[in-house]
Amino acid sequence: MIEAIVINNKQVKIIDQTLLPQEEKYFEIKDYQQMIEAIKKLRIRGAPAIGIAGLVASALACDEFQNYPQDFSKLEKALTEIENARPTAVNLSYAVNIARKYVSSKLFLSETDVLWKKALELAKQEKEASNLMAEHGVEEIFQGQSELRILTHCNTGSLATYGEGTALAVIKALSRIIKVTVWVDETRPLLQGARLTMWELIKEGIECYLISDSMAAHTIKTKQIDLIITGADRITRNGDSANKIGTLVLSILANYYNIPFYIVAPTSTIDYNLEEGSQINIEERDSTELKYIKGVQIAPSSSKVFNPAFDVVDNQLITAIISEKGVHKAPYDFKL
Ligand code: MRU
């Protein structure tokens, strides 16, 4: 299994996902600023993976400031910077809040390894959650069919998590018991589907076809797609689910064509503080991501751009949300 992040005795390396699939290159992260840069640039990405990366960054920041207790406010500022590296996936603030507890109690000054231990615990928790999500997903979806034709969006596999993934973990588990064919949205503008999901599925030996995002409706209509399955970056108490831009239209299509639409996410992706989806902060990214592809300009330089990185699927469009705790169906009312 591919590891998006490797933590070993306070040494951390990540696979640079911006270089995939052409180059499989790990590089060492030496300080928290470097991890912030990696999160912002999507060298490491996917909700559970950036949660773990956020906790590692907090541990690195604590190590840096440990011998300078007078710089305590700088450490608090560093944690806020880590939390703000990307705003939509709640896993990042979930992780930084774990760090804040140890920083505010000053426990990290005496127990120097505490945050490293917490990062490893979170990674283990995400790995176990991934296995359980796969199990629950199979229980929900497998009803004795001999074949399943699945459409997915973005990347929800090992690269996006720690373990097998979220939606992709379910797809991989299904493929171990029946024939599975996957249609993969390229996922514009940063092509996580084309670059990362295709790479993971091909490595797994699962039959898959790359489509552009604009081909989804035609594919569902003509290729007898049985279901659509994606991950999520933040789920509110009522089940509204933010995921990669382009997910909302898939949920609308699923409803129109009367096929199930599933979200797979660990409970670390649930934001218990938010009641509904309109309260989610949607990240807007740089205009260059739309005006250029791999450095090649494809739109007039003066183009005005709207580049939201996520959209929110309304809970009534979701057949079920599959977490490590089981299969949740409407009416959703997530509580701690
Ligand atoms: O911008 P990204 O690549 O971090 O977006 C990732 C997604 O939208 C995934 O679908 C999501 O994190 C859930 S799966 C781990």
Side-chain angles (χ1 to χ4, degrees):
M1 193 176 52
I2 313 138
E3 288 180 288
I5 179 164
V6 182
I7 311 164
N8 190 3
N9 215 4
K10 290 196 173 195
Q11 291 208 311
V12 189
K13 53 182 188 166
I14 63 165
I15 189 166
D16 187 344
Q17 299 191 30
T18 61
L19 303 179
L20 288 170
Q22 286 93 341
E23 269 186 79
E24 294 180 28
K25 197 167 155 188
Y26 280 87
F27 74 97
E28 204 178 324
I29 299 278
K30 297 215 169 80
D31 54 43
Y32 80 91
Q33 286 100 337
Q34 216 184 344
M35 187 65 101
I36 292 177
E37 190 269 355
I39 295 172
K40 284 188 172 165
K41 295 260 169 71
L42 273 64
R43 300 186 199 284
I44 183 154
R45 45 148 298 284
I50 61 172
I52 297 161
L55 203 42
V56 165
S58 309
L60 287 164
C62 282
D63 284 356
E64 198 170 305
F65 290 107
Q66 217 144 35
N67 300 325
Y68 309 97
Q70 72 279 11
D71 283 346
F72 192 67
S73 64
K74 285 193 188 152
L75 175 55
E76 284 180 318
K77 200 168 148 250
L79 293 187
T80 306
E81 266 175 58
I82 297 165
E83 184 175 17
N84 293 341
R86 292 194 74 192
T88 303
V90 73
N91 305 61
L92 192 53
S93 39
Y94 172 90
V96 173
N97 280 332
I98 295 176
R100 278 211 178 92
K101 220 172 82 191
Y102 292 94
V103 168
S104 58
S105 67
K106 308 231 163 129
L107 195 67
F108 77 101
L109 291 171
S110 51
E111 267 193 60
T112 52
D113 285 347
V114 67
L115 283 180
W116 288 99
K117 283 191 197 138
K118 288 282 151 197
L120 288 170
E121 267 170 36
L122 180 62
K124 187 167 169 263
Q125 175 192 316
E126 294 297 9
K127 194 172 194 166
E128 285 165 4
S130 159
N131 294 337
L132 288 168
M133 285 185 281
E135 258 175 50
H136 297 312
V138 170
E139 276 157 26
E140 165 70 15
I141 295 166
F142 179 59
Q143 307 290 336
Q145 309 91 322
S146 58
E147 181 186 355
L148 277 170
R149 301 161 74 83
I150 302 176
L151 194 144
T152 192
H153 191 67
C154 197
N155 172 263
T156 61
S158 302
L159 287 170
T161 59
Y162 195 89
E164 294 284 352
T166 58
L168 221 58
V170 176
I171 293 176
K172 287 186 246 180
L174 285 165
S175 79
R176 287 178 206 122
I177 47 177
I178 45 168
K179 177 171 167 45
V180 165
T181 312
V182 190
W183 277 263
V184 179
D185 270 1
E186 65 173 347
T187 316
R188 278 281 288 146
L190 295 180
L191 306 173
Q192 289 92 330
R195 295 186 301 105
L196 310 176
T197 301
M198 288 301 288
W199 184 73
E200 285 199 40
L201 286 174
I202 289 167
K203 265 187 190 284
E204 289 285 329
I206 298 174
E207 189 176 355
C208 50
Y209 292 89
L210 175 63
I211 57 171
S212 72
D213 301 345
S214 53
M215 296 169 191
H218 179 74
T219 305
I220 294 165
K221 193 172 169 185
T222 60
K223 292 289 179 192
Q224 296 84 43
I225 299 297
D226 295 301
L227 62 109
I228 300 176
I229 189 163
T230 74
D233 286 78
R234 192 181 291 243
I235 299 173
T236 55
R237 285 206 302 271
N238 71 344
D240 290 348
S241 300
N243 191 47
K244 179 53 55 197
I245 192 77
T247 307
L248 172 60
V249 73
L250 293 180
S251 66
I252 296 168
L253 285 171
N255 274 256
Y256 183 80
Y257 286 108
N258 205 18
I259 57 172
F261 177 86
Y262 293 108
I263 292 277
V264 187
T267 49
S268 57
T269 298
I270 300 173
D271 186 342
Y272 299 97
N273 294 318
L274 298 188
E275 196 170 327
E276 47 111 1
S278 64
Q279 297 169 298
I280 297 175
N281 182 0
I282 300 290
E283 175 182 10
E284 283 189 34
R285 295 185 60 85
D286 199 86
S287 63
T288 51
E289 292 181 353
L290 276 175
K291 290 200 284 190
Y292 293 82
I293 296 182
K294 292 263 167 203
V296 177
Q297 189 175 336
I298 54 152
S301 325
S302 61
S303 303
K304 290 181 183 166
V305 168
F306 175 48
N307 184 16
F310 300 93
D311 54 29
V312 180
V313 178
D314 307 297
N315 59 23
Q316 72 267 29
L317 298 173
I318 301 170
T319 309
I321 296 174
I322 299 163
S323 81
E324 76 278 16
K325 295 204 171 142
V327 178
H328 314 265
K329 294 196 175 170
Y332 303 99
D333 184 17
F334 291 112
K335 286 195 179 81
L336 257 182

